[in-house]
Amino acid sequence: MKTIAIMACCDTKYHEVRYVREKISAIGCVPLVLDISTGGDVPIKADIPREQIVTTGGYTWEAIRSAPKDEALSKMSQCAARVLTELREKGSIDAVLGMGGLQNTVVCTAAMQTLPLGFPKLMVSTIASGNRYFNDVVGDSDIAAMPSIVDFAGMNAVAEVILSNACAAVVGMANYGGGLIREVAGWRVGTTLMGITNDTVMHAANLILEAGMELISFHSTGVGGRTMEKMIAQGSINAVMDLTLHEMTPEYFGGLGYGGGANNRLCAGAQKGIPMVVCPGGIDFICLRPGELFEDEEKRGYNWHNAALTHTKLYEHEILSITETIAKRLNVSTGKVTVLLPMGGLRTMSRPGEFFNKPETIQKMKGILETTLKPDIVLKCFDLNFMDKEFGEIAAKEMLALLQTGN
């Protein structure tokens, strides 16, 4: 019989907690209520009361109760994360269900994000809809988010059906889900792509798969690269064909743009010393929303990727500065690293006469890489465009060569 952790503020969401607890029991699982409230009296008994949660996290209830609200929520998030982790490691829970408004969501999802990928997590939230970023709810985790439709202020016809569906969903994940990500057996290659590099990276990826290697691809628009770096650091990925470094562009501008949020790209692979094939694909532009456009947007030049996003050109000195950062981060590596540079363009629309064609800049990138990369990093330049099919074949060949020689 599976055990479902229920996380909620029992001082204000006790009607919903009671309903969900009864529903999960009726379905045939064991509910385990964790009270994450930081407010007033609690009219319902939790299986793990808030006092026990904060004690596990190294605080006293008095310290939480008397703290400013933002500080109390932060500490409760830390404590709840520790409790969830301990319960999961002991095999005491099989899934976790959170529910509530902003405060509940902040605490619940911060704790859920510390659980491994694959462990069932579901958040029913008032903020899982509307004009909000998913990063506020799921971060780089695999939390399933369900809009609550109504606010949590007592049970009603809408709340009943939403929470019933949530209970059925989380029980279904616990009983029939795939479980945690399996351990690495042999080489597991991470790769990065986005629309402007997709065809070439997919061609290279298919060749890696055909060679019998496992491969995981990530969308290089913020969360993707961040997640890949995290999985490399955790040992879940032990080789990387990192062909789309676009996320380093918004990092250069302080997190600005659609691809922001993946700082310190390349660092995990270098620090772990894993085999790396790297190409600075897509570092020649930044993806901006209408409200983020530069004051000199017209001078820079841009085109509309869709109705909500521009592809804005970078100045040459900006591209070269990012190139220097790439070299410096790779120089930390103790493993085998090969850097590939397509001299004919770094993305789609970069062939002669096209909008992002910058051959002189790429020549200067070559000079920086030649002088900055340490001697044991291999630099290979090709008179090809990134989008040439042959370049994808080269990338796959170079990756397989590193894997065959080991690291």
Side-chain angles (χ1 to χ4, degrees):
M1 188 176 292
K2 303 292 185 178
T3 298
I4 312 298
I6 302 169
M7 298 182 68
C9 291
C10 291
D11 60 342
T12 58
K13 305 299 181 280
Y14 52 91
H15 295 291
E16 292 80 3
V17 170
R18 184 181 292 114
Y19 181 84
V20 167
R21 182 163 59 187
E22 293 173 355
K23 200 73 176 179
I24 287 176
S25 294
I27 294 174
C29 289
V30 178
L32 184 73
V33 176
L34 283 68
D35 179 15
I36 56 169
S37 63
T38 59
D41 295 336
V42 178
I44 188 172
K45 184 179 180 180
D47 298 292
I48 303 181
R50 58 191 183 180
E51 292 83 2
Q52 181 179 338
I53 290 176
V54 299
T55 299
T56 301
Y59 297 100
T60 64
W61 170 242
E62 180 59 30
I64 302 295
R65 189 188 67 80
S66 61
K69 186 174 182 179
D70 60 336
E71 183 180 330
L73 291 178
S74 177
K75 290 178 178 177
M76 179 59 80
S77 299
Q78 298 169 23
C79 298
R82 179 170 295 183
V83 170
L84 270 188
T85 297
E86 290 183 359
L87 289 170
R88 203 275 307 175
E89 290 177 346
K90 293 176 181 177
S92 300
I93 57 172
D94 301 287
V96 57
L97 170 64
M99 56 185 178
L102 178 59
Q103 175 177 331
N104 285 252
T105 302
V106 167
V107 177
C108 286
T109 59
M112 289 181 188
Q113 288 173 35
T114 65
L115 297 173
L117 294 176
F119 188 85
K121 326 166 185 66
L122 174 60
M123 184 69 214
V124 186
S125 173
T126 62
I127 68 167
S129 60
N131 187 24
R132 300 181 178 88
Y133 297 114
F134 271 102
N135 193 55
D136 296 336
V137 179
V138 304
D140 54 11
S141 182
D142 59 339
I143 298 169
M146 179 182 289
S148 65
I149 306 301
V150 295
D151 205 349
F152 289 98
M155 294 304 299
N156 53 64
V158 177
E160 286 175 6
V161 72
I162 295 297
L163 290 177
S164 292
N165 285 341
C167 291
V170 75
V171 167
M173 287 191 282
N175 280 317
Y176 306 110
L180 302 183
I181 297 173
R182 65 181 183 274
E183 296 295 322
V184 177
W187 293 112
R188 180 180 287 165
V189 182
T191 193
T192 51
L193 69 158
M194 57 193 304
I196 53 96
T197 63
N198 181 82
D199 292 355
T200 293
V201 179
M202 285 303 301
H203 183 52
N206 287 336
L207 294 173
I208 297 294
L209 292 170
E210 288 172 7
M213 305 295 177
E214 186 178 3
L215 181 137
I216 303 175
S217 59
F218 297 88
H219 200 190
S220 187
T221 53
V223 177
R226 188 172 77 205
T227 303
M228 187 180 75
E229 296 284 326
K230 180 179 179 180
M231 291 182 68
I232 291 171
Q234 293 173 341
S236 298
I237 291 174
N238 58 2
V240 66
M241 186 172 65
D242 204 347
L243 305 181
T244 309
L245 299 182
H246 171 71
E247 288 156 320
M248 295 185 68
T249 300
E251 180 184 2
Y252 174 85
F253 288 100
L256 180 69
Y258 181 71
N263 294 347
N264 303 312
R265 290 283 276 102
L266 300 173
C267 292
Q271 291 166 1
K272 296 288 282 189
I274 65 174
M276 301 178 71
V277 173
V278 175
C279 175
I283 69 165
D284 54 355
F285 78 104
I286 185 168
C287 197
L288 299 177
R289 303 174 183 89
E292 299 172 327
L293 301 183
F294 295 117
E295 291 183 1
D296 59 350
E297 191 77 13
E298 297 296 332
K299 181 180 178 182
R300 286 175 175 272
Y302 65 96
N303 60 24
W304 287 98
H305 179 59
N306 55 44
L309 295 170
T310 69
H311 282 191
T312 298
K313 287 183 178 180
L314 266 60
Y315 292 130
E316 181 174 89
H317 74 272
E318 294 166 341
I319 297 171
L320 298 182
S321 178
I322 295 169
T323 303
E324 290 177 354
T325 300
I326 291 170
K328 291 175 181 176
R329 289 181 181 177
L330 291 176
N331 283 343
V332 175
S333 180
T334 58
K336 294 180 180 179
V337 179
T338 298
V339 178
L340 307 179
L341 186 63
M343 303 304 293
L346 303 175
R347 50 159 291 165
T348 56
M349 297 179 63
S350 63
R351 300 183 187 278
E354 293 184 327
F355 193 69
F356 287 97
N357 181 245
K358 288 193 173 185
E360 298 85 2
T361 300
I362 297 178
Q363 283 290 342
K364 293 178 182 179
M365 291 174 63
K366 177 184 177 183
I368 288 173
L369 293 171
E370 287 175 335
T371 57
T372 308
L373 288 172
K374 64 182 183 179
D376 56 345
I377 292 180
V378 177
L379 172 65
K380 295 187 177 183
C381 302
F382 302 90
D383 290 326
L384 296 169
N385 184 277
F386 188 101
M387 299 309 298
D388 288 336
K389 185 176 181 180
E390 184 181 350
F391 186 70
E393 294 168 355
I394 289 170
K397 179 181 177 182
E398 294 294 335
M399 186 77 262
L400 290 172
L402 290 189
L403 300 184
Q404 289 166 1
T405 58
N407 210 43

